[in-house]
Amino acid sequence: MVCAGLNIRPSSDRESMMRVFLISALAAVLPCSLFANGPEPVAPKPKVTCEQGMVYDKKTKKCVSAQDNRLTPEDLFQTVRELAYAGDYEGAQIILAAMPQDDDRTLTYMGFTNRKLGKAEAGLAFYTRALAVNPANILARSYMGQGMVEQGNIAGALAQLRAIRSHGGTGTWAETSLRTAIATGQTFNY
């Protein structure tokens, strides 16, 4: 049985042939619904665009330095998400530098932005640190797995997918996006 919409492209290189074999084997034993795209996260919409290194403060209705102590961690995380979603990974890293460096969410976003800037090894190191702080961080696991897919490490990506599920992440965007990346070889930019 072939799953509708499952994109398996034949190729002559060994890595692609192994991916096709793995996907075909999975499709033979798992329900097709597991390969369907799930809901994507809602794109954050910035209300105001600030200069690099600045964050919009809802209370004062002004752009302030990311170092401003009136900002909450959620204000900073929202700004990082907006910048990362817009592809401004360097701008996101400036805001991340003002955040607690031992927080698993900070480490996850540092991993994501480094990976998207082409620093795959640095990205994986940040994901590893995030998971040492919080092994149940399924977003870090999803992004780490997607980085592994980009490097051709499908076995490592599958291990992260299993870990996401074991931490209660079945049906979440983290699980769906990694499952899709494993099946198609295409990763997500958010």
Side-chain angles (χ1 to χ4, degrees):
M1 173 175 156
V2 176
C3 297
L6 184 58
N7 187 9
I8 302 175
R9 295 179 298 276
S11 176
S12 59
D13 69 24
R14 180 171 163 66
E15 179 181 311
S16 293
M17 289 174 54
M18 291 300 290
R19 177 175 283 130
V20 168
F21 172 77
L22 178 62
I23 294 168
S24 298
L26 287 170
V29 297
L30 297 173
C32 289
S33 63
L34 288 180
F35 293 96
N37 285 334
E40 295 179 2
V42 176
K45 304 236 190 286
K47 293 167 184 50
V48 176
T49 303
C50 297
E51 291 179 38
Q52 199 168 51
M54 305 289 278
V55 175
Y56 182 72
D57 180 17
K58 292 178 266 188
K59 294 173 196 119
T60 63
K61 299 190 183 324
K62 294 180 183 177
C63 293
V64 298
S65 168
Q67 305 288 339
D68 192 308
N69 62 6
R70 293 174 291 182
L71 295 170
T72 68
E74 288 309 313
D75 293 332
L76 296 172
F77 278 115
Q78 183 62 29
T79 301
V80 167
R81 284 190 70 232
E82 291 167 0
L83 292 169
Y85 194 88
D88 184 0
Y89 307 121
E90 291 164 339
Q93 287 187 339
I94 291 170
I95 305 302
L96 286 164
M99 299 170 72
Q101 298 301 296
D102 59 348
D103 183 282
D104 66 305
R105 292 188 304 172
T106 301
L107 295 166
T108 298
Y109 282 108
M110 283 300 293
F112 180 81
T113 56
N114 273 284
R115 183 169 62 89
K116 290 302 179 179
L117 287 168
K119 302 172 189 171
E121 292 305 317
L124 290 175
F126 278 110
Y127 297 139
T128 300
R129 287 178 53 201
L131 293 171
V133 172
N134 178 7
N137 182 331
I138 62 173
L139 186 59
R141 290 189 179 283
S142 181
Y143 287 148
M144 180 180 228
Q146 289 182 53
M148 292 173 170
V149 167
E150 290 169 351
Q151 294 180 327
N153 182 357
I154 303 304
L158 284 168
Q160 291 306 317
L161 183 61
R162 285 189 297 275
I164 288 169
R165 291 173 178 161
S166 73
H167 286 286
T170 302
T172 63
W173 182 86
E175 187 229 12
T176 302
S177 61
L178 179 53
R179 185 180 64 231
T180 301
I182 292 167
T184 66
Q186 296 179 353
T187 61
F188 292 81
N189 290 329
Y190 45 84

